[in-house]
Amino acid sequence: MLETKMNGKKCISGIGSALVDILLQESDDFVEKSGAPKGGMTLVDREVIDDLLSKSGNSPEIVPGGSACNTIMGAGRLGGPACFVGKRGNDDLGRLFEKQLKTCNVDPILFQSDSSTGRVLSVITPDAQRTMFTFLGASSEATPEEILEDQYSEAAVVHIEGYLLFNEPLITTALSAAKNAGALVSLDLASFTVVEASKNILESLISNYVDILIANEDEARAFTGIDDESGALEAMAQKADVAVLKVGKRGSYIASGERVTKIGINGDGSAVDTTGAGDLWASGFLYGLVNGYPVEKCGELGAACGYEVCQVIGASIPDAGWDRIRKLL
């Protein structure tokens, strides 16, 4: 049914926060002292990020990031047509961000601002978990008036990150533009903290606009209120044509129609850093979907992308990893 809706289009478009990732390896004690929930995402001022960096003796790594952007860059690296819509600062970090999109075969539609480019401090603990502190900067200045239907005229799927739920007018306009353009809508719930803060609008937006709903266990529990994984997946599947529940080292479950497909993991489930794991899983899954692969193959491709990104620091898979992934195509 979804293939019919895509009308032969192959482009995966995304809209989200144009952010730069600051990757910092630190201890559990460092996260605890920050006062933020481990594994969650907290919106902060730029000064908070600067203060946390000053308290660490470790040197961070700086790379382009943002949830939807990670997914779209992965789709581009798979050979895609791919497009990303967002807002960046007119500064060095913003120019770095745009250059990296083009390097990954992504068509950038980036509005510009005199404000600083947004950034995320991702604190990576020894268990490979990441706790995020997000300064949205210029990315938060994107307006509904900048989102146009023709930006998605070639899109088979428009992938939207849950972090946009903090800007209700923007996400509503983006969802409406995508549907009016004839595209499928994929929504990644992004973080359990985002879901908890957005419960008042989330259910109606999903019911009215979303075709593909993606969540991990914590996000699914926060959205459905159901602890049991199968029950949470069933509840999600009642809201969207395709529901995905990611369960970490145990793989994932994909509910489509009356069928639930279990997808395993690649390798032994080891991870250096889980930053971008869910985002890159979505890259593989959506790429398979727009190319007409069976659900099992879409899930396997997602699992391969998710595994490879966990073997490095940050959300950028090296060329050798992409070579291994492409052998599945």
Side-chain angles (χ1 to χ4, degrees):
M1 185 170 80
L2 292 183
E3 287 185 16
T4 302
K5 290 183 179 180
M6 287 185 285
N7 294 320
K9 296 179 179 179
K10 298 291 182 68
C11 182
I12 302 173
S13 293
I15 177 169
S17 299
L19 302 171
V20 172
D21 279 345
I22 303 170
L23 309 171
L24 181 68
Q25 292 181 291
E26 264 295 352
S27 64
D28 287 324
D29 184 59
F30 184 90
V31 173
E32 184 176 352
K33 287 180 179 178
S34 75
K38 183 179 178 182
M41 190 284 294
T42 305
L43 289 174
V44 299
D45 293 331
R46 179 176 173 177
E47 291 74 19
V48 172
I49 292 177
D50 292 341
D51 180 62
L52 287 168
L53 287 171
S54 72
K55 292 177 179 177
S56 173
N58 299 329
S59 298
E61 181 180 355
I62 300 176
V63 294
S67 177
C69 184
N70 290 336
T71 295
I72 300 307
M73 286 196 294
R77 288 298 305 268
L78 281 167
C83 174
F84 179 76
V85 179
K87 195 162 195 171
R88 69 168 177 86
N90 186 19
D91 53 17
D92 288 342
L93 286 182
R95 287 183 281 275
L96 170 69
F97 182 91
E98 183 162 351
K99 180 180 179 181
Q100 186 64 27
L101 285 181
K102 293 177 180 178
T103 299
C104 293
N105 192 37
V106 175
D107 179 23
I109 300 177
L110 296 175
F111 321 117
Q112 292 188 30
S113 167
D114 289 333
S115 300
S116 299
T117 297
R119 62 210 64 186
V120 177
L121 173 60
S122 184
V123 181
I124 305 157
T125 42
D127 60 358
Q129 182 66 277
R130 80 276 188 274
T131 302
M132 295 174 289
F133 301 85
T134 301
F135 165 65
L136 292 172
S139 70
S140 67
E141 298 174 6
T143 65
E145 292 74 23
E146 291 171 315
I147 307 302
L148 304 175
E149 183 179 322
D150 62 7
Q151 292 163 352
Y152 304 112
S153 60
E154 299 301 316
V157 175
V158 174
H159 182 68
I160 298 179
E161 63 185 51
Y163 298 115
L164 288 191
L165 287 161
F166 288 123
N167 188 335
E168 183 177 353
L170 183 65
I171 194 172
T172 302
T173 299
L175 288 165
S176 179
K179 297 304 285 187
N180 289 339
L184 296 176
V185 170
S186 166
L187 176 66
D188 190 317
L189 290 183
S191 167
F192 68 89
T193 52
V194 172
V195 175
E196 290 170 349
S198 308
K199 289 293 290 290
N200 61 320
I201 62 169
L202 188 53
E203 186 161 340
S204 63
L205 289 178
I206 290 173
S207 297
N208 291 328
Y209 295 106
V210 175
D211 302 285
I212 303 159
L213 182 60
I214 303 173
N216 66 20
E217 312 103 303
D218 293 336
E219 296 153 7
R221 186 181 305 111
F223 174 57
T224 66
I226 300 173
D227 289 328
D228 175 66
E229 289 175 355
S230 61
L233 180 63
E234 181 179 354
M236 289 168 56
Q238 292 174 0
K239 304 291 184 182
D241 290 336
V242 175
V244 174
L245 178 62
K246 298 170 293 183
V247 291
K249 292 182 178 180
R250 292 180 289 120
S252 58
Y253 295 91
I254 303 169
S256 178
E258 299 296 319
R259 183 183 179 195
V260 175
T261 302
K262 173 71 169 68
I263 304 295
I265 60 169
N266 284 47
D268 58 2
S270 62
V272 173
D273 172 25
T274 59
T275 301
D279 303 335
L280 271 295
W281 192 99
S283 300
F285 179 75
L286 295 177
Y287 181 86
L289 189 69
V290 302
N291 282 283
Y293 296 176
V295 169
E296 294 88 348
K297 189 72 172 181
C298 294
E300 289 171 7
L301 189 54
C305 292
Y307 171 78
E308 290 291 348
V309 80
C310 285
Q311 307 313 304
V312 296
I313 298 294
S316 181
I317 298 173
D319 290 343
W322 286 116
D323 289 342
R324 288 188 288 269
I325 291 167
R326 291 190 190 97
K327 291 179 180 178
L328 296 174
L329 300 179

